[in-house]
Amino acid sequence: MGRFEGTDRYIATADLKVAVNAAVALERPLLIKGEPGTGKTVLAYEIAKAFDAPLITWHVKSTTKAHNGLYEYDAVSRLRDSQLGDERVHDVRNYLKKGKLWEAFTAPARPVLLIDEIDKADIEFPNDLLQELDRMEFYVQEIDETIRAEIRPIVIITSNNEKELPDAFLRRCFFHYIRFPDAETLSAIVDVHFPGIKPRLVAEALKTFYEIRDTPGLKKKPSTSELLDWLKLLLVEDIDAETLREKTPNKLIPPLHGALLKNEQDIHLFERLAFLGRRDGGRPGG
C-alpha cells in the first residue's frame, strides 16, 4: 500500500500526512480530534479514495452501543416466524444483522472503517470496543463462530472533543489534532473548491472571517465548511471585495452572515458591536 499525500480535493498539512501514514504503518486506529467543520469526517473519505479502498462508515449517536458495531440478533422476528411456521427459523443466521465491524472484518479488500464522532456515545463505548479493535476479532455466540479480520482495516475515529476518552482507549490509538487552518492553508482549500475565484475577494473574505473568529465572546466560531458556504453565497449574489471591505459602523455584520453566525447570541453580539461603533463614531473626534 502506498502513502497518503492528500488528494486533489483535500489539502492535507504535512503533520496530518505523517499521522495518517504512521497509523497505517503501525496498524493502529487513527484518532482525529478538532473543532467541528475542520474536515475530520471528510478525511476518511479521502483516505479511502487515495488508497482505492472501500469505505465503511459507522456514524455514532448518543444511543449507540459497542455491540451495534458487531451484530444484532433479532430474537423477536425469529419467534414470530416460528409461530407462523416459516422455514427461515431453522437457520439463526437469518436473524443476525451484521454490524459495521463485521462488515469491515470480512470485506474482500482492505477497507477504511470510519467510526464517526465517537464522543457522542456514553463513556463506556470506547472501552467496550478495545478488545475487538485490538485483536480484530469477536465471537458470535448464536452461531458459535469467531469473526476474524483476515485483512486489518484502516480505522479512522473522529471526535469533536465533547467528552474525554478513556486512557486505555487513547493508548491504542495514534492521535492527531487538526488545528484550525492558517490563512495560507485556508486560501489553498478555497482554491480547490472555487478554482478561478478572484484573489481580492478571497483576501477580503478571509480577513472578515478571521476577524469574526477572533471576536471575544463569540459562542460558536465559524468553521472551514461554513466559510466555503459563505463564499459560495458571495459568488451567487455577486458581492465583491469592495463591499466586504466597507467597515462603517452599520456594516460590522458581514453580508449573508447567516452562513457564518449560527446562533442568536452571536448575532446579538455583533449587533451590540455595531451599536457601540455607531455611538462612538458619532462622538466628536470619534
Side-chain angles (χ1 to χ4, degrees):
M1 183 170 281
R3 292 177 61 79
F4 178 71
E5 297 293 342
T7 67
D8 55 355
R9 297 286 297 169
Y10 191 92
I11 303 294
T13 56
D15 55 346
L16 178 56
K17 293 177 195 174
V18 167
V20 171
N21 292 311
V24 171
L26 291 171
E27 296 190 327
R28 295 213 173 226
L30 174 61
L31 174 61
I32 297 285
K33 285 189 179 184
E35 63 181 80
T38 46
K40 300 185 299 296
T41 302
V42 178
L43 173 65
Y45 288 79
E46 297 302 326
I47 290 171
K49 192 187 299 180
F51 290 140
D52 195 21
L55 176 68
I56 296 170
T57 304
W58 185 9
H59 293 294
V60 176
K61 301 174 183 176
S62 59
T63 55
T64 304
K65 302 296 181 188
H67 69 80
N68 300 140
L70 308 180
Y71 69 96
E72 293 178 61
Y73 171 49
D74 191 351
V76 174
S77 291
R78 194 180 189 197
L79 176 62
R80 186 191 61 228
D81 288 350
S82 70
Q83 292 168 339
L84 296 172
D86 194 317
E87 285 297 312
R88 283 164 41 91
V89 297
H90 299 301
D91 188 353
V92 69
R93 291 175 186 273
N94 292 323
Y95 303 94
L96 294 179
K97 182 187 176 188
K98 295 179 180 179
K100 297 297 184 180
L101 285 181
W102 190 328
E103 282 182 40
F105 288 5
T106 56
R110 188 184 198 186
V112 172
L113 171 63
L114 168 63
I115 304 175
D116 200 26
E117 298 191 322
I118 196 170
D119 51 330
K120 280 192 173 175
D122 67 47
I123 195 64
E124 290 306 315
F125 178 83
N127 276 340
D128 290 344
L129 280 179
L130 281 182
Q131 184 169 311
E132 287 74 20
L133 289 176
D134 246 5
R135 298 184 181 177
M136 286 288 156
E137 65 179 39
F138 62 89
Y139 177 66
V140 183
Q141 185 175 345
E142 288 77 6
I143 57 174
D144 188 26
E145 195 175 305
T146 297
I147 305 301
R148 187 175 290 108
E150 299 300 328
I151 311 163
R152 196 177 183 96
I154 298 169
V155 181
I156 310 296
I157 302 171
T158 71
S159 167
N160 285 329
N161 249 349
E162 288 179 13
K163 61 169 73 93
E164 284 297 312
L165 297 172
D167 287 346
F169 181 79
L170 295 174
R171 280 197 299 272
R172 287 163 170 82
C173 297
F174 192 93
F175 173 74
H176 182 72
Y177 183 85
I178 296 185
R179 290 180 178 82
F180 196 82
D182 58 21
E184 187 180 342
T185 305
L186 209 47
S187 183
I189 292 169
V190 169
D191 285 343
V192 163
H193 287 268
F194 302 104
I197 190 171
K198 291 176 182 174
R200 285 173 63 199
L201 176 61
V202 174
E204 282 302 323
L206 287 183
K207 185 179 173 190
T208 301
F209 175 75
Y210 278 111
E211 283 173 358
I212 291 174
R213 276 188 60 89
D214 292 341
T215 301
L218 202 65
K219 189 167 189 276
K220 184 196 174 302
K221 294 182 177 185
S223 66
T224 309
S225 57
E226 286 156 346
L227 168 68
L228 296 175
D229 285 346
W230 184 50
L231 277 169
K232 185 176 182 180
L233 288 173
L234 293 180
L235 292 171
V236 167
E237 297 296 328
D238 200 23
I239 292 172
D240 57 19
E242 283 66 34
T243 305
L244 285 184
R245 195 178 295 126
E246 288 181 34
K247 288 298 179 192
T248 61
N250 291 327
K251 295 286 179 72
L252 275 179
I253 299 184
L256 302 164
H257 62 267
L260 299 175
L261 301 173
K262 293 298 178 74
N263 61 65
E264 62 276 16
Q265 294 99 313
D266 288 345
I267 291 172
H268 290 159
L269 172 65
F270 273 81
E271 286 172 345
R272 284 198 302 275
L273 291 173
F275 169 75
L276 292 172
R278 286 194 297 274
R279 189 185 65 184
D280 293 345
R283 288 174 183 166

